[in-house]
Amino acid sequence: MEPDPQIRFRVDQNLGMPHKPDISLRIIRALCKPELVEEIEGNLLERKDMLGYSSYAGLFKYWFEVLNYLRPSMLRSFRKSKNQGSMFIFNPRLALRNLLKHKSTTFISLSGFVIGLLSVIFLYFYIENEMNYDAFQADKDIIYRAKRLSTINGEAYGVGVTSGPYAPALLNDYPSTITSACRAYPQNGLVEVGTKQFYEEKMLFADTNFFEFFSYPLAIGDPQSVIDDVNTVVISKEIAKKYFGDLNPIGEIIEVDHEYKFTITGLLDDLPNKSQLDFDMVFNIELFNRYDWFHGWWYNGLITYVKIQTAQEAEGLNEQLPQFMDKYMGEDFERNGSKIGLAMEPYTAVYFNNKTRFDRVNHGSKTNITILGLVALAILFIACFNYINLSIAQSYKRAKEVGVKKVLGANRSRLILQFIGESLLIMIFSVTFAIALAELLLPKFNNFFGLEVIFTWSNPVVIYFFVGLILTILITSGLYPALLLSSFKPVSVLKGGKVSLGSNLIVRKGLVIAQFSISIFLIIATILISEQINFMKTKNLGYNKESVLIIENNNLEIRDKKEAFKEALRNHPNIIHVGSASGAPGGYHDGTSIQISGQPESIKIRTVFADPEYLKIFDIPVVAGRGFSSDLSTEIDYAMMVNEKVLKDLGLKPEDVIGKKTKIPSWEMERTIVGVFKNYHFLNLKNKIEPLGIMMGDFHRRYLVKINGHNISQTLADIEEIFAEFSPNNPISYRFQDDMLAQHYLDEEKQVRVFMMFSVVSIFLACLGIFGLASYSAQQRQKELGIRKVLGATMAQIMTLISKEFMILVGVASIISIPLSWLFVSGWLTDFAYRIDLTDNWSTFIFGGLIAFAISFITISLKTYKAALSNPTESIRYE
């Protein structure tokens, strides 16, 4: 009889679990005999208190219970046939028994799927986090960033920062195209609240419409007016906790740089996704309205955003921007002898455009995402190949089982259902273990790769993706073995007990080749990427970066006592040189055009303002003329040095420029070239060496300290103490030069770690599979091996006989993977102006294949050695 609807409602309501139980109940009602449905549902209800359904373990137990009710005796009849009994419908207990019967195969398949799914879980959420940057921005599709366009050495590049006048001028000149504009100015400074004092790196000064223009959520505050007053600030929850604990921060006062006081009027809410603009505090940018630099067209430190309703309008605006630049900067262009351009860059394209120079927003890499996605799929494919291979390899063992069931009336569709059911059971175990391991290993994963991956299992898109992925894996890896096993003819298998795999051997060999091709590819790529990273770290940069400390010149106290502070540092016994400069190698270098007397054309150069110690600190040799002299009182006003690249681009010799007057029109400045210094990599190895000029001047943002390397920890402590004497109200901020340079190659370092980890995983999985295949090969050929031993075959000959087949497959995989890895690494290296030569590293490609050969041979030998030692009498008797 049909169950009472009220009982059904009660059962559905009480089975509150992570996955809705009504799906399982529908399965029970659809497949089980009607007269048993009520009893089954009642049993499920009774089991509720015994199983913890709020956990994944409880959920798994529940579904195992549901599957158990799909036993043949409880299933309703869908098709009447005298030759078809219900005994052949999938039974989870029988499937589990079969899996336990073949422990080694099950372990290899389960391990492969767990590792593969674990890799996919980590990499999927990493890619999802990257692709969802700024997804919360409601108007992201109509926001554009104003990007300056320039050239140097004939190479075009973009600059992500502009100056204060751009936004109001764009609004004024194109009111019908640009609906609104907003400026953002990332800064840092010392923040004080009572006795708490911290140097904050994530401060942002913005226009008053910032929270209307963007969709950054506010927990407290009105987006339309929260920073209307020039002395107001909005802070994040993290900052609020840091300075005020659990107190309400609204209305409280914070002090910045001992000079400015701001009232907290808003509190930022947690962001649903990460953003390219990274900040913890938002101030009113009108604070800088009193300064001349804020109104100058050449002070480029701000980010200018505009809203344009359609892409067509943006394209039309880009065509008009050359006239815009000429209107406001034409005189400067004419005076400088060079121009800069302007373009509107879609907001959605900014995050992945890491080619833009001197940018002040976060960036990601689409190349990294593509590579990681392919690596994850490759790992998963290897796991699937293992399962298919092992299923094919052990098919002869299950031939009799198939033959008997067919004789007793099972048709092919029901056998397919049985074998796919076994695959499904392995997938259920794999998914459960993979999710549990992912949750457990997430902190270590983030720490190892320097990431902030977050699992969002509740997201419907995530659920759909993984359900689709699992179904795809099930069909890919489970369907072919099921079709193969169910195709055996009962007469053949029952008569001989064995089957001929025929063309399926080709499939099996093809899968082994695919597995090792992927593994060898990853091994070669890992080694070569590591070589490039090592090349960048060890290449002679033209200067000495070792033991150079960079101290931020970030407050008025230390600026006013600059020379006294430098002198105090020089008196320390472990300090060799002390200087100051506007920047250091690897950091920001401004650009301008210079006109050398007697030369018809101007040249664009990078610039550094420094004192006479700069070249000494970095051991940069002077190749012509002289260096800066602190003895000449007028040196600071006129002296300039240029690198060899300036001479090369102008086709001049040192004697042609030394002593010549040089005009710098954009800064209304005139200098005299007193010397030429040797080229050095003042940017990084992704960029070619550009023309550079070093000038004496007071615009120094950093102190540069060269220490001798003795007792570094005590020297640093002494430097901190000296700094505190000169600037007692400000904390010191410093880092080493080589650490700053390492920041340029963080993405590449992450790539090396990813390739290293997953190449190890891939080769491990491939070896698991080849170990399983070698096991079955040895078992299948046990009688042959016994006869050979009786006839005098040695242990080495027996091992070679079994290993030879697999070694040939690994050799074919090497032939396939070597050209593919060459093409991939060649493309990857194009991002670097200075890179390794692949022809000089040809041995790496051979070495990658040899590693795979060695590992696979050792893996196979572990199994074949046992087979070679076996008693030939028992082998010959074995059937």
Side-chain angles (χ1 to χ4, degrees):
M1 68 177 185
E2 286 293 323
D4 181 60
Q6 292 183 352
I7 295 176
R8 285 189 175 182
F9 177 80
R10 177 168 55 84
V11 172
D12 289 357
Q13 290 293 314
N14 287 334
L15 290 175
M17 299 168 299
H19 290 277
K20 294 182 179 179
D22 57 341
I23 298 174
S24 60
L25 294 180
R26 288 196 199 103
I27 294 173
I28 294 295
R29 294 164 192 164
L31 299 180
C32 292
K33 294 177 181 178
E35 63 270 20
L36 299 178
V37 170
E38 182 177 357
E39 181 182 353
I40 293 173
E41 291 180 346
N43 288 341
L44 288 174
L45 179 61
E46 289 176 5
R47 293 284 288 166
K48 174 179 179 291
D49 295 331
M50 297 177 62
L51 302 174
Y53 294 141
S54 60
S55 65
Y56 288 108
L59 179 63
F60 173 77
K61 291 177 183 178
Y62 170 74
W63 275 100
F64 191 76
E65 291 282 338
V66 173
L67 292 175
N68 267 313
Y69 282 117
L70 302 181
R71 296 195 299 271
S73 59
M74 294 187 174
L75 295 175
R76 66 169 67 189
S77 177
F78 295 96
R79 178 179 172 186
K80 300 292 183 182
S81 173
K82 62 181 181 179
N83 294 324
Q84 265 187 290
S86 60
M87 64 178 286
F88 303 108
I89 292 180
F90 172 64
N91 186 326
R93 289 187 186 276
L94 180 60
L96 186 59
R97 193 179 304 127
N98 279 328
L99 294 177
L100 292 175
K101 182 179 179 182
H102 306 285
K103 293 184 180 66
S104 61
T105 304
T106 301
F107 173 77
I108 292 172
S109 299
L110 190 62
S111 299
F113 279 130
V114 169
I115 294 173
L117 286 170
L118 189 63
S119 303
V120 170
I121 288 171
F122 281 134
L123 296 180
Y124 171 82
F125 281 111
Y126 167 71
I127 293 171
E128 184 203 38
N129 289 344
E130 289 290 288
M131 296 301 294
N132 283 332
Y133 253 77
D134 291 296
F136 63 91
Q137 299 286 3
D139 293 338
K140 61 181 181 295
D141 293 327
I142 63 171
I143 297 176
Y144 291 80
R145 179 179 71 166
K147 182 173 69 174
R148 291 188 298 130
L149 306 176
S150 189
T151 58
I152 196 165
N153 283 341
E155 180 184 349
Y157 64 92
V159 179
V161 290
T162 52
S163 58
Y166 277 84
L170 285 167
L171 270 175
N172 179 73
D173 288 16
Y174 306 102
S176 61
T177 302
I178 298 176
T179 57
S180 61
C182 183
R183 295 168 295 184
Y185 182 37
Q187 268 298 321
N188 49 50
L190 181 69
V191 175
E192 288 180 280
V193 175
T195 58
K196 294 182 179 179
Q197 184 184 75
F198 298 97
Y199 196 75
E200 299 293 347
E201 298 281 352
K202 298 180 181 180
M203 301 167 68
L204 188 72
F205 290 83
D207 284 312
T208 56
N209 66 336
F210 180 79
F211 289 102
E212 294 178 272
F213 190 93
F214 293 104
S215 303
Y216 294 104
L218 290 174
I220 302 175
D222 182 358
Q224 296 182 350
S225 60
V226 70
I227 55 171
D228 276 356
D229 192 284
V230 74
N231 292 317
T232 55
V233 62
V234 175
I235 64 174
S236 67
K237 291 181 178 179
E238 183 179 349
I239 291 292
K241 184 75 173 177
K242 183 176 181 179
Y243 288 96
F244 303 101
D246 296 328
L247 298 177
N248 183 359
I250 302 301
E252 297 291 339
I253 305 294
I254 66 170
E255 188 173 355
V256 177
D257 290 340
H258 305 302
E259 185 177 359
Y260 308 103
K261 292 186 177 181
F262 300 91
T263 302
I264 300 172
T265 53
L267 188 66
L268 285 165
D269 209 345
D270 295 329
L271 297 183
N273 312 103
K274 289 186 178 180
S275 173
Q276 57 186 263
L277 275 175
D278 190 12
F279 56 87
D280 284 328
M281 313 175 81
V282 183
F283 302 83
N284 189 327
I285 202 170
E286 292 300 323
L287 178 73
F288 302 114
N289 206 33
R290 70 189 79 168
Y291 301 111
D292 291 339
W293 62 260
F294 188 69
H295 304 283
W297 283 89
W298 288 101
Y299 182 87
N300 297 295
L302 288 72
I303 310 169
T304 300
Y305 296 100
V306 298
K307 284 187 179 180
I308 305 172
Q309 294 303 311
T310 65
Q312 291 75 18
E313 287 182 293
E315 290 177 10
L317 177 62
N318 281 332
E319 295 175 0
Q320 302 176 57
L321 289 176
Q323 292 81 17
F324 172 84
M325 297 299 288
D326 286 338
K327 175 182 176 181
Y328 292 99
M329 305 178 73
E331 292 182 5
D332 291 335
F333 294 160
E334 187 174 347
R335 186 168 59 248
N336 295 344
S338 64
K339 287 187 175 185
I340 61 172
L342 190 68
M344 294 299 151
E345 181 180 24
Y347 183 79
T348 51
V350 172
Y351 180 67
F352 289 114
N353 180 14
N354 49 17
K355 301 293 185 184
T356 302
R357 296 191 184 183
F358 311 121
D359 218 345
R360 309 194 71 177
V361 297
N362 292 328
H363 285 291
S365 170
K366 275 194 174 179
T367 301
N368 283 359
I369 288 176
T370 302
I371 291 172
L372 291 176
L374 292 175
V375 167
L377 290 177
I379 298 294
L380 202 56
F381 282 150
I382 291 176
C384 292
F385 295 164
N386 271 352
Y387 184 76
I388 295 171
N389 255 338
L390 293 174
S391 298
I392 294 172
Q394 70 166 343
S395 58
Y396 78 95
K397 275 194 167 186
R398 303 193 67 175
K400 285 187 177 180
E401 174 192 341
V402 173
V404 170
K405 287 188 175 182
K406 281 194 170 183
V407 168
L408 294 177
N411 64 15
R412 190 177 184 187
S413 61
R414 293 205 172 189
L415 289 171
I416 291 174
L417 176 64
Q418 175 193 338
F419 294 125
I420 288 182
E422 292 178 11
S423 301
L424 175 63
L425 205 57
I426 287 180
M427 285 306 304
I428 291 173
F429 281 116
S430 300
V431 170
T432 304
F433 291 145
I435 291 175
L437 281 174
E439 292 286 354
L440 183 66
L441 297 175
L442 179 60
K444 296 184 181 299
F445 176 86
N446 282 336
N447 183 60
F448 183 73
F449 290 111
L451 302 174
E452 296 179 15
V453 174
I454 301 171
F455 291 159
T456 53
W457 297 109
S458 59
N459 187 342
V461 176
V462 174
I463 296 172
Y464 296 149
F465 172 80
F466 279 101
V467 169
L469 178 68
I470 291 166
L471 290 176
T472 302
I473 295 171
L474 187 62
I475 293 170
T476 303
S477 59
L479 186 59
Y480 180 76
L483 291 172
L484 172 66
L485 290 169
S486 63
S487 67
F488 297 153
K489 295 179 181 180
V491 175
S492 300
V493 298
L494 292 177
K495 180 180 179 181
K498 294 184 179 180
V499 294
S500 175
L501 295 179
S503 62
N504 295 304
L505 286 173
I506 299 175
V507 175
R508 191 181 73 181
K509 291 178 180 180
L511 294 177
V512 171
I513 291 171
Q515 284 178 306
F516 276 93
S517 295
I518 294 170
S519 300
I520 295 169
F521 173 88
L522 290 174
I523 289 171
I524 294 172
T526 300
I527 295 173
L528 289 175
I529 292 175
S530 299
E531 283 291 324
Q532 175 64 20
I533 298 298
N534 186 59
F535 170 78
M536 291 187 294
K537 287 183 175 180
T538 58
K539 185 181 186 303
N540 183 5
L541 299 176
Y543 68 94
N544 186 355
K545 66 180 186 298
E546 302 300 327
S547 302
V548 177
L549 192 69
I550 302 173
I551 303 174
E552 296 296 329
N553 184 12
N554 55 18
N555 66 82
L556 290 174
E557 285 183 334
I558 203 72
R559 288 173 193 158
D560 292 341
K561 305 167 186 175
K562 180 176 68 173
E563 294 305 324
F565 174 62
K566 289 161 67 174
E567 189 60 33
L569 291 175
R570 290 190 186 102
N571 292 331
H572 194 284
N574 290 338
I575 293 178
I576 303 171
H577 295 295
V578 179
S580 57
S582 59
Y588 177 78
H589 287 68
D590 207 346
T592 189
S593 294
I594 64 171
Q595 297 173 348
I596 301 176
S597 178
Q599 297 302 313
E601 295 183 359
S602 63
I603 182 173
K604 195 164 188 178
I605 66 169
R606 298 292 176 196
T607 60
V608 174
F609 287 91
D611 66 9
E613 298 294 308
Y614 186 86
L615 297 180
K616 298 176 185 177
I617 289 170
F618 292 108
D619 293 333
I620 301 170
V622 177
V623 295
R626 65 174 177 85
F628 296 127
S629 171
S630 56
D631 297 332
L632 300 177
S633 59
T634 56
E635 191 94 345
I636 193 169
D637 295 324
Y638 80 87
M640 177 181 182
M641 299 181 69
V642 296
N643 66 352
E644 296 170 304
K645 180 65 174 167
V646 172
L647 302 185
K648 181 179 180 181
D649 286 358
L650 291 174
L652 301 175
K653 297 178 180 179
E655 55 267 25
D656 297 330
V657 298
I658 292 176
K660 292 294 180 68
K661 296 288 185 182
T662 301
K663 291 183 179 180
I664 308 175
S666 59
W667 297 338
E668 298 180 352
M669 185 184 295
E670 190 174 274
R671 297 280 169 149
T672 299
I673 298 177
V674 298
V676 178
F677 56 89
K678 193 172 182 63
N679 285 336
Y680 69 94
H681 294 275
F682 60 90
L683 293 175
N684 57 60
L685 293 178
K686 294 181 181 180
N687 305 109
K688 296 178 181 179
I689 292 178
E690 299 175 355
L692 175 67
I694 301 178
M695 291 173 272
M696 290 284 284
D698 287 327
F699 185 56
H700 297 170
R701 294 188 292 256
R702 293 173 178 87
Y703 296 103
L704 309 173
V705 182
K706 179 79 170 182
I707 58 181
N708 60 18
H710 300 311
N711 199 358
I712 292 178
S713 58
Q714 183 58 50
T715 303
L716 292 176
D718 293 341
I719 291 173
E720 291 176 5
E721 187 176 332
I722 294 171
F723 187 94
E725 291 176 8
F726 286 88
S727 181
N729 297 313
N730 295 276
I732 189 173
S733 176
Y734 63 81
R735 56 181 170 171
F736 280 98
Q737 171 70 21
D738 49 2
D739 291 336
M740 185 176 76
L741 290 177
Q743 296 295 314
H744 291 287
Y745 310 120
L746 285 179
D747 284 342
E748 288 74 24
E749 292 277 11
K750 290 176 184 177
Q751 284 181 347
V752 170
R753 291 182 182 181
V754 167
F755 274 98
M756 188 177 296
M757 173 175 284
F758 290 111
S759 61
V760 171
V761 169
S762 67
I763 199 73
F764 172 75
L765 290 178
C767 288
L768 268 183
I770 210 170
F771 180 81
L773 291 175
S775 300
Y776 281 107
S777 179
Q779 290 177 13
Q780 200 170 16
R781 301 175 68 177
Q782 206 161 8
K783 180 180 286 189
E784 175 195 345
L785 299 179
I787 294 173
R788 286 179 180 273
K789 290 187 72 174
V790 170
L791 294 176
T794 64
M795 183 183 299
Q797 289 173 330
I798 295 295
M799 293 180 66
T800 302
L801 181 68
I802 299 176
S803 304
K804 181 172 65 175
E805 174 189 354
F806 297 105
M807 292 298 98
I808 292 173
L809 298 180
V810 176
V812 174
S814 299
I815 294 171
I816 293 172
S817 59
I818 286 174
L820 291 177
S821 56
W822 182 291
L823 290 173
F824 168 76
V825 177
S826 296
W828 183 82
L829 287 172
T830 55
D831 285 340
F832 301 89
Y834 301 91
R835 50 186 178 264
I836 59 173
D837 188 343
L838 291 184
T839 56
D840 292 337
N841 289 269
W842 61 269
S843 59
T844 300
F845 295 91
I846 307 301
F847 184 65
L850 291 177
I851 290 176
F853 264 104
I855 296 174
S856 56
F857 181 75
I858 293 171
T859 303
I860 297 167
S861 298
L862 293 174
K863 187 63 188 177
T864 55
Y865 180 75
K866 181 179 178 182
L869 286 177
S870 62
N871 189 330
T873 305
E874 294 181 2
S875 301
I876 294 171
R877 272 181 12 190
Y878 176 76
E879 189 63 51

